[in-house]
Amino acid sequence: MGNWVVIHWPSVLVLATWLGLNVFLFVHAFLSYEKADKYYYTREILGSALAWARASAHCLKFNSMLILLPMCRNLLSFLKGTCSFRRCSLRKVLDHNLTFHKLVAYMICLDTAIHIIAHLFNFERYSRSQQATDGSLASVLSSLSQEEGGIYWLNPIQSPNMTVIELTFTSIPGLSGVIITVALVLMVTSATEFIRRSYFEVFWYTHHIFVIYFIGLGIHGIGGLVRGQTEESMKENQPHRCAESFEKWDDPNSQCKPPQFEGHPAESWKWILAPVVLYIFERILRFYRSQQQVVITKVVMHPSKVLELQMNKRGFSMEVGQYIFVNCPSISYLEWHPFTLTSAPEEDFFSIHIRAAGDWTENLLKAFEQQHSPVPRIRVDGPFGTVSEDVFHYEVAVLVGAGIGVTPFASILKSIWYKFWHADPSLKTQMAGHAALNFDKATDILTGLKHKTFFGRPMWDNEFCTIATTHPKSAVGVFLCGPQSLAKSLRRCCHQYSSLDPRKVQFFFNKENF
């Protein structure tokens, strides 16, 4: 645990700050609605459920403000570009943008669940107090009618015949709340690992329901169902003094007048306006770039249903390990799929390798296999950065790829080859001959060393122990593009073999995420 904190302290700091702000907002809002005199009469009807609903609403707005920021890929690329590797820990934090996006989404789900449950209690208590005939304070408050422009009323259920269902679907807060909840459930369920891997199209389309979510959130507070006493009314009806004499409120000689109430103005839009505008600019920029012409210079069909596309695009500039989004309008005008660039920055083209792993990729391969038809049009958005961009900043780098996951490292290996032949002084390499199996040789035919090349999964503990011994004071970058089971093993080894002393060997685990 100590090694993990030492290596990932910037991410720990960001996570702790985010959680701290959530706790602060929740506690502050809860105490405000639980203790404030303005909501004294409202609490007479709703009890503590009022504070639970409003506190969760504040956290919900805060996290909705954050949820889009990790998806502003151009902004993240710009921020990474402004930070040098050694002097800015922000680069490592930005590499976990998708993880943070998921954490914020989980918090939104938790806040939504608390908010809904609290309001179910609120609506039930509104209904019960409206139907009460015992002359209690709650029933008197519920009998205040919507008069003089809607100043007086406190209970949104205005008659005993009005049901909770009717209030839900006839009020803006109720109807928008239902729409928001349905949109959130669809987005969360379609974002599960199984759906994303097996039915990417379902994930892609349902995740764009976020537009409906934000529109519903922006108008959710219109109508002001949760109301508090006005400042003017509190001068004429001080709750702690007048609540006990509520039977005399209608008496002209009474010093306590009937209380007046007002609803909250809609506030959600204030929280989400800035990130929504930022995200709109992000989408406009990406749309502009995607409309630029892409010229396909070469098409190669590899075994195991793998398609290689080599392309050119005016003004395109890349770094090792980056990825692009690809769209084929003849297959689907709206679907964009991420693919790692397999070309090196030193080459005069950029390329990707696409494996048939779903409906969209299979249709794309079929489109390029048709020999007598024109080459399908391809649109490209990007490139965008990943953790592999930092591979040359480490003193020692370990690249681990499994299956099609080797593609991010094709770009890196090509770039190493170009740097070697151009005698780049910043790169220390050892040239290897052609790879082949030959167990009769005294030395390995690949490396020329007595230690033979092993084919198959390495013994990770032995490998990490060897690296830690050989490079006792180095920063070692471990890069993976592969399954989660492999990531778990490598992450464990990185934590286990990193020294608590920051001057000694440190293993930094980096996993590709799109």
Side-chain angles (χ1 to χ4, degrees):
M1 181 63 181
N3 292 349
W4 187 87
V5 174
V6 169
I7 295 175
H8 299 284
W9 70 265
S11 299
V12 173
L13 179 62
V14 171
L15 185 62
T17 302
W18 170 66
L19 289 174
L21 288 174
N22 273 280
V23 172
F24 170 77
L25 286 173
F26 190 93
V27 173
H28 181 267
F30 188 93
L31 294 178
S32 296
Y33 284 90
E34 187 71 10
K35 303 295 183 182
D37 291 344
K38 181 177 182 177
Y39 302 102
Y40 181 92
Y41 291 124
T42 312
R43 292 194 298 271
E44 281 295 319
I45 298 178
L46 303 181
S48 296
L50 168 67
W52 282 97
R54 298 309 303 161
S56 58
H58 275 65
C59 291
L60 182 60
K61 290 181 286 189
F62 170 66
N63 287 287
S64 296
M65 177 186 70
L66 298 178
I67 193 71
L68 286 178
L69 297 180
M71 295 295 100
C72 294
R73 302 176 190 273
N74 286 293
L75 174 63
L76 298 181
S77 296
F78 171 77
L79 292 176
K80 288 188 68 174
T82 60
C83 301
S84 64
F85 178 77
R86 290 298 182 190
R87 297 182 180 180
C88 188
S89 300
L90 180 63
R91 290 176 66 97
K92 299 293 295 179
V93 176
L94 295 177
D95 288 334
H96 296 93
N97 62 311
L98 289 183
T99 301
F100 185 67
H101 176 75
K102 294 176 183 178
L103 290 175
V104 173
Y106 296 148
M107 185 64 74
I108 288 177
C109 293
L110 176 62
D111 295 332
T112 301
I114 296 174
H115 190 70
I116 291 174
I117 294 172
H119 271 316
L120 289 176
F121 281 100
N122 289 338
F123 279 19
E124 175 61 27
R125 289 169 180 173
Y126 273 138
S127 178
R128 187 170 56 191
S129 62
Q130 182 60 253
Q131 296 176 5
T133 57
D134 56 359
S136 62
L137 176 57
S139 64
V140 171
L141 291 170
S142 296
S143 65
L144 297 175
S145 60
Q146 294 185 2
E147 300 174 358
E148 298 187 14
I151 294 176
Y152 287 105
W153 67 275
L154 175 61
N155 192 335
I157 298 181
Q158 289 296 301
S159 70
N161 297 326
M162 190 175 187
T163 64
V164 172
I165 299 297
E166 183 181 352
L167 176 63
T168 301
F169 288 95
T170 57
S171 63
I172 294 178
L175 184 59
S176 62
V178 172
I179 294 174
I180 291 171
T181 303
V182 172
L184 185 62
V185 169
L186 290 174
M187 286 189 291
V188 171
T189 53
S190 65
T192 57
E193 185 76 12
F194 173 76
I195 297 295
R196 285 191 297 111
R197 297 296 182 188
S198 303
Y199 306 98
F200 184 83
E201 295 83 356
V202 175
F203 160 74
W204 178 262
Y205 286 118
T206 54
H207 231 58
H208 282 75
I209 301 177
F210 81 91
V211 176
I212 298 175
Y213 172 85
F214 277 99
I215 293 175
L217 186 63
I219 66 174
H220 184 57
I222 297 177
L225 291 187
V226 178
R227 302 170 71 83
Q229 194 174 0
T230 64
E231 295 294 334
E232 293 78 9
S233 175
M234 292 186 68
K235 297 176 183 178
E236 300 176 346
N237 187 310
Q238 211 289 326
H240 292 283
R241 177 172 55 87
C242 296
E244 298 179 355
S245 58
F246 66 91
E247 299 93 344
K248 301 179 181 180
W249 283 353
D250 292 329
D251 187 348
N253 298 322
S254 175
Q255 295 181 351
C256 296
K257 303 299 180 182
Q260 300 177 2
F261 301 92
E262 62 182 355
H264 285 285
E267 295 181 345
S268 299
W269 66 271
K270 298 178 183 178
W271 290 77
I272 63 177
L273 179 61
V276 166
V277 171
L278 183 64
Y279 188 77
I280 290 174
F281 278 110
E282 164 86 9
R283 298 302 301 187
I284 291 175
L285 175 59
R286 293 178 62 176
F287 176 78
Y288 170 75
R289 292 196 309 187
S290 68
Q291 297 304 306
Q292 296 176 344
Q293 183 181 9
V294 176
V295 179
I296 300 177
T297 58
K298 189 175 182 180
V299 178
V300 182
M301 296 299 302
H302 293 285
S304 302
K305 293 185 178 181
V306 175
L307 169 69
E308 178 184 358
L309 296 179
Q310 296 183 7
M311 297 166 281
N312 277 319
K313 181 180 178 182
R314 183 170 58 88
F316 189 91
S317 177
M318 62 164 289
E319 297 293 337
V320 293
Q322 291 185 326
Y323 68 97
I324 58 175
F325 280 94
V326 176
N327 170 264
C328 183
S330 62
I331 298 176
S332 173
Y333 192 81
L334 298 178
E335 285 186 44
W336 290 81
H337 293 253
F339 294 97
T340 305
L341 292 167
T342 55
S343 54
E346 293 83 359
E347 294 178 307
D348 58 358
F349 62 88
F350 64 95
S351 65
I352 56 175
H353 285 67
I354 303 171
R355 183 184 63 179
D359 294 339
W360 189 89
T361 51
E362 288 180 356
N363 291 332
L364 184 67
L365 264 68
K366 291 178 181 178
F368 278 96
E369 285 176 343
Q370 297 176 5
Q371 300 179 355
H372 301 291
S373 60
V375 176
R377 180 190 170 204
I378 293 293
R379 295 193 295 170
V380 169
D381 179 27
F384 301 105
T386 66
V387 294
S388 297
E389 283 185 279
D390 297 330
V391 65
F392 292 128
H393 294 289
Y394 288 97
E395 299 171 46
V396 181
V398 180
L399 310 181
V400 182
I404 198 66
V406 301
T407 52
F409 308 134
S411 174
I412 298 172
L413 295 176
K414 286 183 181 180
S415 185
I416 291 176
W417 187 87
Y418 279 103
K419 291 177 184 294
F420 176 83
W421 285 107
H422 289 85
D424 190 331
S426 64
L427 185 71
K428 297 179 181 179
T429 61
Q430 182 178 5
M431 184 177 179
H434 296 287
L437 286 174
N438 193 330
F439 297 102
D440 296 330
K441 297 285 186 179
T443 58
D444 187 84
I445 198 167
L446 173 63
T447 62
L449 304 176
K450 292 183 179 180
H451 189 277
K452 295 294 187 71
T453 299
F454 290 97
F455 294 87
R457 178 168 294 188
M459 301 293 292
W460 294 119
D461 287 294
N462 294 342
E463 296 295 335
F464 276 81
C465 182
T466 301
I467 295 172
T469 304
T470 308
H471 307 278
K473 297 183 179 180
S474 298
V476 182
V478 180
F479 297 86
L480 168 69
C481 187
Q484 190 61 36
S485 58
L486 186 56
K488 184 177 180 180
S489 300
L490 292 175
R491 186 181 288 110
R492 177 189 60 81
C493 289
C494 286
H495 299 160
Q496 178 179 346
Y497 291 95
S498 292
S499 173
L500 287 173
D501 187 346
R503 296 170 297 179
K504 296 183 179 180
V505 63
Q506 302 287 329
F507 289 89
F508 296 89
F509 180 71
N510 303 274
K511 186 179 186 301
E512 294 286 343
N513 290 300
F514 299 105

